[in-house]
Amino acid sequence: MSIENTEEVVKSKNFIEQIIDEDLESGRFDHVVTRFPPEPNGYLHIGHAKSILLNYGLAEEYNGKFNMRFDDTNPTKEKEEFVDSILKDIEWLGADWEDRMFFASDYFDQMYEYAVKLIKKGKAFVCDLNAEEMREYRGTLTEPGKNSPYRDRSVEENLKLFEEMKEGKYADGEKVLRAKIDMASDNINMRDPIIYRVAHINHHRTGDKWCIYPMYDFAHPIEDAIEGVTHSICTLEFEDHRPLYDWVVNECEFENPPKQIEFAKLYVTDVITGKRYIKKLVEDEIVDGWDDPRLVSIAALRRRGFTPESIKKFIELVGVSKSNSSVDYAMLEYCIREDLKAKKPRIMGVLDPIKLIIDNYPEDQVEYMDVTNNVENEELGVRKAPFCKELYIDREDFMEEPPKKYFRLYPGNEVRLMNAYFVTCTDYKKDENGNVVEIHCTYDPETRSGSGFTGRKVKGTIHWVSARHAIKSEVRLFENLVDEEKGKLNEDGTLNLNPNSLVVREAYIEPSFKDFEGEDKFQFVRQGYFCKDSKDYTDEKPVFNRIVSLKSSFKLPK
Ligand code: ATP
Ligand code: MG
């Protein structure tokens, strides 16, 4: 079953759509505003694509608005480089934020005012406990916490101290502002959480204007509320934070406050997601930057040759759920194959070349064979592929001593050269190490493809390129970064790396790829889908990445 067919099946609404429907019906909201709120501390990955497409998709579906917001409240790890990469990735995925791009740091003044408001209401206090004492007072999952000895400071004193925190009178960690909620709450997040901390760090946008920064659980609901977000969609680990989210928007007295909804994160088998982990691979130079095609950052997927359409299909197939699970990487591969299948020209490329010499073919002759660019899509037309006496074929298409059912080339056997002639293997040569270096054959001029020859049949068809015309290219073949068989981690917690995650081949490619103007992706017949490497490809030295092979073990669930 193809993906197209599955779309005809009427989709039942996911649980988030059901919640939104109820909210619209009950009148809690009369419109929908969603947002994607990344922290600019790394590049986005396939998991983020799910969040982006989900939030953007809901805004579109309900004729609402989609906000792009940088959640830049923690200046330690945030950088402008990441802001730029994130915008590029979101745009590439097709999520359009129009003029609705926001930075949480633009709300620092307002957040400060809300903190003051809480102090005035007796709902926040400045606390002098250090981190260790704070831990002791917090209690455990089974035991309640204890009130801080600073909890009963007067409003005046709190206002004064908080202002002094802002003015830089205190060192990092010396004082914090805490919400005054309930130290006996079953939910540890509600035990007087810290809402502001002192941090003398330069911020990538506000510079040194601030030396106090709001904590995520305080800042995030305020950001949503200021922007008029209706449905604040986040991942499951925030479920326990929801009471605090609601507490903040209620105590800050927002009208029509947003509603937080949690869904399960996307995990993909055998790949590394999580900005932290990807960052480590980049910093340890295990990979060649954030867009190394073996990664699943969006930038890496793009460089590898994935299309936005394939990622959208993948996210659609994955669906939205409330329980964590891993999706098979093979499903992502399935989506890109389906997307490229009918769209891309199919050309011949030899990745592990060995020379094939046609002894009875005239030395200087060149013929141009008609080749259909894509047998599944006639609109892509036909091309001419040059053919001459010396060709390259793939090493695995020849065997000295074939097993049963091997129908490709071996001494005495006749095969079809795709789109060209039948050839019969007559001889082969080896080097001193016993490697086959040259194969000889004869061709039958009667058997030219398209000539209507029906005299006899052969069982094997192999691809080839003309040695004189083919373009020498670098081809990069990828496998998973981590060793799937043995598990992702070694006993010492380091990554169990797959030594074959990148294999570089010197390949020969049919020259016609240069004639498809503006095209960067091709099927190399029998080998897979390939993409010009966006960084390293030049006309002088073509470099191709294999996006995916043609073989698939994945079946679309019924
Ligand atoms: P990571 O754990 O990879 O560093 P993060 O959650 O820290 O990701 P943020 O920049 O805070 O990254 O995330 C922006 C948004 O993307 C958040 O709403 C977050 O819930 C969502 N998100 C992050 N990872 C995933 C994932 N694997 N699947 C779905 N959504 C995700
Ligand atoms: Mg994060």
Side-chain angles (χ1 to χ4, degrees):
M1 185 161 64
S2 75
I3 296 191
E4 282 73 30
N5 289 339
T6 61
E7 274 180 352
E8 287 160 21
V9 179
V10 180
K11 282 195 206 109
S12 59
K13 294 207 168 184
N14 66 46
F15 78 95
I16 299 180
E17 291 167 315
Q18 288 172 13
I19 293 174
I20 295 177
D21 284 346
E22 283 163 24
D23 288 343
L24 293 173
E25 215 158 284
S26 72
R28 162 129 188 212
F29 297 112
D30 62 4
H31 65 293
V32 172
V33 181
T34 60
R35 87 288 174 259
F36 176 66
E39 191 185 350
N41 62 352
Y43 281 57
L44 299 181
H45 54 66
I46 185 81
H48 295 112
K50 176 168 182 176
S51 177
I52 295 162
L53 295 171
L54 173 64
N55 280 293
Y56 177 68
L58 288 168
E60 270 208 313
E61 181 185 343
Y62 288 93
N63 222 341
K65 300 274 182 218
F66 169 70
N67 292 0
M68 174 59 226
R69 182 206 315 144
F70 287 98
D71 205 341
D72 56 350
T73 54
N74 176 8
T76 7
K77 296 177 195 151
E78 293 161 4
K79 280 202 244 158
E80 212 56 35
E81 176 200 351
F82 298 133
V83 169
D84 297 340
S85 77
I86 288 172
L87 289 177
K88 184 173 173 188
D89 291 346
I90 297 176
E91 202 169 344
W92 181 74
L93 281 174
D96 184 1
W97 61 87
E98 297 167 1
D99 57 352
R100 306 175 67 81
M101 176 166 76
F102 306 105
F103 288 85
S105 53
D106 287 345
Y107 313 139
F108 280 165
D109 284 300
Q110 290 170 78
M111 289 177 190
Y112 180 79
E113 289 309 320
Y114 282 112
V116 168
K117 183 184 180 103
L118 292 184
I119 295 174
K120 287 183 176 160
K121 288 173 75 173
K123 298 285 182 179
F125 65 100
V126 173
C127 183
D128 300 1
L129 293 181
N130 64 32
E132 199 182 316
E133 291 162 336
M134 195 88 76
R135 242 189 319 274
E136 279 165 26
Y137 276 77
R138 191 183 299 133
T140 63
L141 283 174
T142 48
E143 282 167 48
K146 283 188 298 187
N147 283 350
S148 158
Y150 304 98
R151 200 174 198 262
D152 295 323
R153 278 178 164 153
S154 68
V155 169
E156 288 66 38
E157 190 182 2
N158 280 321
L159 286 173
K160 178 175 147 275
L161 292 172
F162 187 48
E163 191 169 352
E164 288 174 354
M165 279 169 64
K166 181 176 86 152
E167 279 161 6
K169 248 187 130 174
Y170 303 109
D172 294 7
E174 203 178 331
K175 285 191 176 7
V176 292
L177 184 71
R178 297 175 69 178
K180 196 189 279 187
I181 310 181
D182 178 8
M183 288 308 291
S185 172
D186 287 342
N187 185 336
I188 293 187
N189 295 304
M190 300 299 272
R191 295 185 188 167
D192 294 2
I194 299 174
I195 58 178
Y196 257 96
R197 66 189 170 120
V198 178
H200 292 267
I201 325 172
N202 202 276
H203 184 282
H204 75 114
R205 298 191 85 236
T206 58
D208 55 10
K209 176 172 176 198
W210 297 91
C211 63
I212 54 171
Y213 291 97
M215 302 300 288
Y216 180 88
D217 281 336
F218 175 68
H220 202 81
I222 294 179
E223 294 157 26
D224 286 342
I226 288 174
E227 289 172 16
V229 166
T230 55
H231 297 85
S232 173
I233 299 166
C234 63
T235 43
L236 280 184
E237 70 272 25
F238 290 101
E239 195 163 12
D240 289 345
H241 298 240
R242 190 181 344 128
L244 181 52
Y245 186 102
D246 291 339
W247 185 92
V248 171
V249 290
N250 288 325
E251 292 298 343
C252 292
E253 297 170 32
F254 284 101
E255 267 172 48
N256 233 355
K259 184 185 233 182
Q260 175 178 308
I261 306 171
E262 309 86 19
F263 72 101
K265 269 195 174 180
L266 169 65
Y267 295 99
V268 183
T269 52
D270 300 318
V271 300
I272 294 160
T273 47
K275 275 186 284 199
R276 232 165 351 128
Y277 303 107
I278 296 182
K279 193 174 194 167
K280 184 143 186 2
L281 290 171
V282 174
E283 284 169 358
D284 294 351
E285 296 182 11
I286 289 170
V287 295
D288 172 27
W290 285 93
D291 63 353
D292 185 302
R294 291 168 293 177
L295 295 172
V296 288
S297 64
I298 311 266
L301 290 167
R302 178 168 58 234
R303 184 169 170 198
R304 173 88 170 247
F306 282 85
T307 57
E309 292 75 19
S310 64
I311 293 175
K312 278 180 214 161
K313 274 295 165 206
F314 175 65
I315 299 298
E316 253 171 56
L317 285 177
V318 169
V320 187
S321 93
K322 263 231 130 73
S323 56
N324 281 320
S325 64
S326 282
V327 179
D328 199 339
Y329 183 78
M331 190 154 110
L332 185 58
E333 296 188 315
Y334 166 86
C335 292
I336 185 67
R337 276 191 209 101
E338 285 292 306
D339 186 36
L340 300 182
K341 194 165 67 176
K343 289 185 189 162
K344 299 299 165 188
R346 299 179 183 183
I347 63 174
M348 292 186 283
V350 172
L351 305 192
D352 189 4
I354 184 167
K355 218 167 224 185
L356 179 74
I357 299 164
I358 310 172
D359 292 320
N360 62 339
Y361 196 86
E363 190 75 41
D364 299 323
Q365 182 169 311
V366 180
E367 283 180 87
Y368 288 88
M369 302 297 178
D370 288 321
V371 185
T372 306
N373 286 325
N374 187 324
V375 288
E376 293 184 57
N377 180 1
E378 279 184 14
E379 278 176 24
L380 292 187
V382 292
R383 67 175 185 278
K384 302 272 184 200
F387 182 89
C388 63
K389 185 182 178 79
E390 294 198 359
L391 310 173
Y392 287 112
I393 64 168
D394 254 300
R395 189 168 290 277
E396 62 171 27
D397 285 337
F398 173 80
M399 282 186 105
E400 293 176 77
E401 290 170 28
K404 268 192 181 167
K405 301 221 170 144
Y406 184 87
F407 300 120
R408 290 171 270 167
L409 215 49
Y410 55 87
N413 192 39
E414 186 172 47
V415 298
R416 179 199 308 275
L417 293 175
M418 197 177 276
N419 306 303
Y421 294 102
F422 288 10
V423 292
T424 304
C425 175
T426 52
D427 195 10
Y428 59 95
K429 290 207 172 83
K430 287 184 178 185
D431 64 14
E432 61 271 26
N433 301 321
N435 298 315
V436 176
V437 288
E438 194 174 290
I439 305 164
H440 287 261
C441 65
T442 54
Y443 86 117
D444 176 353
E446 302 290 304
T447 58
R448 183 173 162 149
S449 167
S451 68
F453 174 79
T454 53
R456 62 187 182 277
K457 286 191 171 138
V458 286
K459 281 204 168 137
T461 300
I462 65 176
H463 62 276
W464 50 274
V465 293
S466 158
R468 207 185 306 165
H469 302 88
I471 295 177
K472 198 198 249 187
S473 306
E474 179 174 320
V475 165
R476 299 175 181 168
L477 306 176
F478 308 105
E479 286 181 13
N480 291 339
L481 260 177
V482 281
D483 194 317
E484 306 158 56
E485 308 274 292
K486 295 195 214 131
K488 270 188 206 177
L489 295 180
N490 294 314
E491 273 173 17
D492 61 358
T494 56
L495 283 169
N496 190 7
L497 296 169
N498 171 5
N500 300 320
S501 64
L502 169 65
V503 172
V504 176
R505 291 276 180 80
E506 191 172 88
Y508 286 95
I509 314 295
E510 184 191 322
S512 43
F513 72 84
K514 299 221 164 177
D515 303 334
F516 293 94
E517 229 168 285
E519 184 56 81
D520 67 340
K521 298 183 185 73
F522 302 88
Q523 184 189 108
F524 293 173
V525 289
R526 301 174 66 216
Q527 309 277 15
Y529 291 98
F530 291 75
C531 167
K532 293 179 181 173
D533 186 78
S534 56
K535 270 195 177 160
D536 300 335
Y537 181 97
T538 62
D539 281 339
E540 293 67 46
K541 184 179 179 260
V543 178
F544 290 93
N545 297 324
R546 178 150 74 187
I547 311 169
V548 64
S549 71
L550 296 179
K551 295 185 199 93
S552 171
S553 55
F554 175 77
K555 294 247 177 357
L556 195 64
K558 288 229 174 80

